[in-house]
Amino acid sequence: MKRAIVIGASSGIGRAVASLLVEKGWRVAITARRTDALDELRVMYGADRVMTMAMDVTKVEATTTLDRLISEFGAPDLLFYASGIGGQNPQLDIEKELDIIRTNCEGMVRVVDHFVNFVRSSGEYDKKHKAHIAVITSVAGTRGLGSAPAYSASKAMQSEYITALSQLCSMESIPAKFTDIRPGFVKTAILNPEKHYPMLISAQSAAQHIYRGIKHKRRVLIFDWRFKLLVGLWHLIPRFVWERLKVRN
Ligand SMILES: NC(=O)c1ccc[n+]([C@@H]2O[C@H](COP(=O)([O-])OP(=O)(O)OC[C@H]3O[C@@H](n4cnc5c(N)ncnc54)[C@H](OP(=O)(O)O)[C@@H]3O)[C@@H](O)[C@H]2O)c1
């Protein structure tokens, strides 16, 4: 039975991915700050399939929590990083911007780096059995978005960071492989319920895309196809034109 640790599984895409993994026969260890929401999944699927632990990725203790989780759960085949916050911020409320950076950038670096160092030193993985690290970034990280500067920049940072880690693991022969997951709009609590979003898909549908991408060990996964097309077109737009566009979502 394969094992996954899902960071940020109390709601949205992380929760849908954790549920799907269990339904596909995996054991999962799930973390987030809202432990009542994590407990719901444990009760639903049983404690033999779902282990829970409180973790706030913005706190330094997140690394000791991860150590404790791994020692109780075992070394996972997959570390799935879903924790994130977002939102538009055209007013540039500085605390909101910095909160996004702390959670999405600092939180990811803290947890993912700690796990890479575990992979490097544990002896649990090798060339034939590499640790798989998957991070939900976003199509929002592919170009700077004026209505959400910290969010789009934090997602770009996550994507580039994964590229850097992937190169580092290759240079240092660390047995880890990476998937950068870039969804378009997914109906979760991170979106503004009062706004209309085009090409919106459900968290369950996102989880199906992600499961297939992980199974096929995709390095970068953009979904669905409409966003893949859109991102391709975005890259063709020269910067001086991009910076004059009104991208409100
Ligand atoms: N929905 C979309 O349209 C969309 C599109 C592209 C990318 N994404 C990305 O997908 C990821 C998941 O978001 P979602 O859409 O599923 O929204 P969500 O339902 O709000 O889920 C966010 C998850 O992150 C966790 N989280 C937030 N702050 C945390 C912290 N300090 N420590 C630990 N966990 C924390 C939350 O758990 P607790 O609050 O319980 O801690 C929750 O489980 C995010 O990185 C988001 O940027 C979403």
Side-chain angles (χ1 to χ4, degrees):
M1 197 180 277
K2 287 199 158 197
R3 280 189 295 242
I5 291 179
V6 183
I7 311 289
S10 56
S11 64
I13 306 172
R15 184 184 172 99
V17 167
S19 303
L20 185 60
L21 288 173
V22 175
E23 283 156 22
K24 296 285 184 186
W26 292 52
R27 280 186 66 225
V28 297
I30 55 177
T31 74
R33 293 167 302 179
R34 286 170 293 165
T35 48
D36 49 340
L38 301 177
D39 290 343
E40 279 172 20
L41 284 189
R42 191 182 54 207
V43 169
M44 193 185 304
Y45 294 111
D48 54 329
R49 306 296 298 279
V50 179
M51 183 179 160
T52 63
M53 205 170 273
M55 182 192 286
D56 182 339
V57 298
T58 65
K59 302 278 190 275
V60 287
E61 302 80 48
T63 55
T64 44
T65 304
L66 184 60
D67 288 339
R68 198 150 47 87
L69 192 62
I70 292 173
S71 71
E72 290 177 26
F73 181 68
D77 302 280
L78 170 69
L79 180 86
F80 188 84
Y81 191 90
S83 286
I85 58 171
Q88 298 199 334
N89 191 13
Q91 309 77 5
L92 296 181
D93 171 339
I94 291 172
E95 264 321 300
K96 191 172 175 184
E97 292 291 87
L98 293 176
D99 261 354
I100 292 171
I101 303 288
R102 276 190 284 268
T103 305
N104 298 358
C105 301
E106 197 182 308
M108 182 202 69
V109 169
R110 175 172 289 118
V111 173
V112 172
D113 280 14
H114 194 68
F115 185 66
V116 169
N117 281 330
F118 168 76
V119 172
R120 189 202 304 256
S121 60
S122 72
E124 295 277 354
Y125 305 93
D126 57 37
K127 268 187 192 159
K128 285 200 178 125
H129 175 224
K130 290 188 174 182
H132 192 165
I133 300 168
V135 177
I136 307 184
T137 66
S138 175
V139 296
T142 56
R143 294 296 301 252
L145 297 172
S147 55
Y151 184 68
S152 61
S154 73
K155 293 294 162 179
M157 180 274 183
Q158 290 183 319
S159 288
E160 280 308 310
Y161 202 87
I162 296 164
T163 301
L165 286 184
S166 183
Q167 188 183 63
L168 177 74
C169 288
S170 161
M171 287 189 307
E172 305 263 313
S173 301
I174 300 168
K177 56 180 180 266
F178 295 82
T179 299
D180 173 351
I181 298 161
R182 302 178 189 171
F185 291 124
V186 182
K187 197 166 187 294
T188 70
I190 213 169
L191 298 183
N192 180 346
E194 285 161 15
K195 283 192 89 155
H196 168 76
Y197 295 89
M199 303 184 277
L200 187 67
I201 63 171
S202 68
Q204 288 69 27
S205 168
Q208 295 283 354
H209 282 283
I210 290 168
Y211 182 75
R212 281 195 295 274
I214 284 173
K215 207 170 146 196
H216 294 109
K217 302 183 175 64
R218 296 279 297 281
R219 176 62 188 80
V220 176
L221 179 67
I222 303 175
F223 56 86
D224 56 14
W225 67 268
R226 295 167 296 182
F227 272 98
K228 219 170 171 174
L229 189 65
L230 189 72
V231 167
L233 292 173
W234 279 5
H235 284 304
L236 298 176
I237 301 174
R239 180 179 292 148
F240 74 94
V241 176
W242 177 263
E243 289 175 1
R244 281 159 186 75
L245 291 179
K246 291 181 172 48
V247 184
R248 299 252 177 239
N249 266 320

